[in-house]
Amino acid sequence: IQERTLIAVKPDGVQRRLVGDIISRFEKRGFKLVGLKLLQAPEGILAAHYHDLKRKPFYPALIRYMSSGPVIAMVWEGYNVVRSSRAMVGETNSAEAKPGTIRGDYSVHISRNVIHASDSVEVAQKEISLWFHSDELVDWELCD
Ligand code: CMP
């Protein structure tokens, strides 16, 4: 099986109608979509997802932001997809994100940074099993 990563369009990205553009960038890059859903992120998932940030001063605001509307959770598969998608997403701090990256094109502030991408293969595996049941992921191949 090829490498997989969890990509989530955050509530600001959904509200600003950026979902289509973001999906399009991953498709055109050559990655394969194997899971996709729109959901109001449950508190339990957010608490586990942001467990490492629990003591940060911005944590309560982060949870409010991530709960402010639906998110699009996706699993993308492909060669080096974890590292490549981090490059496509750009720096966490939007002010540092280069033009041409998703954050560099669509976000001005770290607290409204439009998209999440797993930061390592190990973390990706954990995040995928947190956000998706295994029967929600589809193995598929291009037809000849
Ligand atoms: P991400 O890297 O996807 O996951 C952690 C998130 O915490 C990050 O995006 C930001 O949305 C948020 N975050 C990190 N640092 C700050 C900060 N200093 N102020 C507000 N939000 C932050």
Side-chain angles (χ1 to χ4, degrees):
I1 193 166
Q2 290 218 54
E3 196 172 293
R4 289 179 169 182
T5 196
L6 181 90
I7 300 293
V9 184
K10 297 179 178 182
D12 53 336
V14 176
Q15 283 159 23
R16 291 173 56 203
R17 320 295 200 260
L18 298 177
V19 172
D21 177 85
I22 288 169
I23 290 176
S24 187
R25 289 176 183 231
F26 282 86
E27 285 187 313
K28 288 175 186 166
R29 183 75 188 263
F31 295 124
K32 183 163 79 173
L33 185 61
V34 296
L36 171 75
K37 60 185 170 182
L38 174 88
L39 74 166
Q40 181 71 44
E43 248 181 70
I45 288 187
L46 292 178
H49 184 86
Y50 289 122
H51 182 258
D52 292 348
L53 301 176
K54 210 169 165 87
R55 290 191 162 70
K56 300 282 187 190
F58 57 81
Y59 180 81
L62 174 61
I63 299 302
R64 274 200 307 280
Y65 159 50
M66 289 299 294
S67 306
S68 65
V71 303
I72 295 279
M74 299 181 271
V75 179
W76 288 90
E77 183 180 294
Y79 183 66
N80 276 338
V81 67
V82 173
R83 200 146 63 92
S84 297
S85 50
R86 294 285 289 188
M88 291 164 70
V89 163
E91 295 289 323
T92 302
N93 187 349
S94 304
E96 312 288 329
K98 294 196 174 58
T101 65
I102 293 165
R103 287 170 178 158
D105 288 347
Y106 299 133
S107 166
V108 294
H109 199 273
I110 192 169
S111 65
R112 294 286 181 276
N113 63 2
V114 171
I115 185 166
H116 167 83
S118 308
D119 65 7
S120 70
V121 174
E122 297 70 39
V123 168
Q125 283 165 356
K126 283 193 195 136
E127 291 181 349
I128 290 167
S129 54
L130 178 64
W131 286 83
F132 285 87
H133 295 293
S134 55
D135 64 4
E136 293 176 309
L137 301 177
V138 181
D139 266 317
W140 61 281
E141 298 298 335
L142 291 174
C143 301
D144 294 327

